[in-house]
Amino acid sequence: QVQLVESGGGSVQAGASLRLSCAASRSASPWSNYCMGWFRQSPGKEREGVASIYTDGGSTHYADSVKGRFTISQDKNTVYLQMNNLKPEDTAMYYCASKASYSWGCSPRYWQQKEFPDWGQGTQVTVSS
């Protein structure tokens, strides 16, 4: 079982930066490798994958819409999403998610929500023009 707690959201103007954090606490498990993902959902839209990182080795993947602006990273049991040059279209509730996985399971083709059993409560990011 995994508990995920996000923080770091807020209201900013276009061009600003924010850093989201996701603190993970896991009960003992024989499996030690996970894919950690950031997803976002804005009103009236489906939840979409933004970025992912594999805990063993730190390989990363990004949605095309955020490449070059967002950076996912990890430090022990916390995953970060550094968001630079924010745009109004980045406005959404941002969620952290986790799944036990092999490294290939962290690629964007495996970002379907149903594949991630553990989710945080979300943190709101609002970007004004």
Side-chain angles (χ1 to χ4, degrees), residues 50-54 59-63 67 72 103-104 106-108 111:
V50 175
S52 65
I53 187 167
Y54 192 59
S59 60
T60 58
H61 300 276
Y62 297 93
K67 280 180 182 176
I72 189 170
S103 59
W104 51 261
C106 220
S107 64
W111 280 359

Side-chain angles (χ1 to χ4, degrees), residues 5-6 83 90:
V5 179
E6 303 101 329
M83 306 185 294
D90 295 318

Side-chain angles (χ1 to χ4, degrees), residues 3-86:
Q3 288 189 323
L4 304 172
V5 179
E6 303 101 329
S7 61
S11 296
V12 297
Q13 291 196 325
S17 298
L18 282 173
R19 188 175 82 156
L20 306 182
S21 299
C22 172
S25 50
R26 296 185 175 92
S27 55
S29 170
W31 191 265
S32 60
N33 300 325
Y34 296 84
C35 176
M36 300 295 295
W38 282 101
F39 292 75
R40 66 186 181 186
Q41 187 170 21
S42 50
K45 294 187 177 181
E46 292 187 356
R47 194 171 296 187
E48 63 175 356
V50 175
S52 65
I53 187 167
Y54 192 59
T55 58
D56 182 19
S59 60
T60 58
H61 300 276
Y62 297 93
D64 288 343
S65 58
V66 305
K67 280 180 182 176
R69 299 188 299 121
F70 290 12
T71 303
I72 189 170
S73 62
Q74 61 182 353
D75 181 15
K76 296 181 182 178
N77 292 324
T78 300
V79 174
Y80 302 97
L81 187 67
Q82 177 67 42
M83 306 185 294
N84 297 330
N85 190 22
L86 282 161

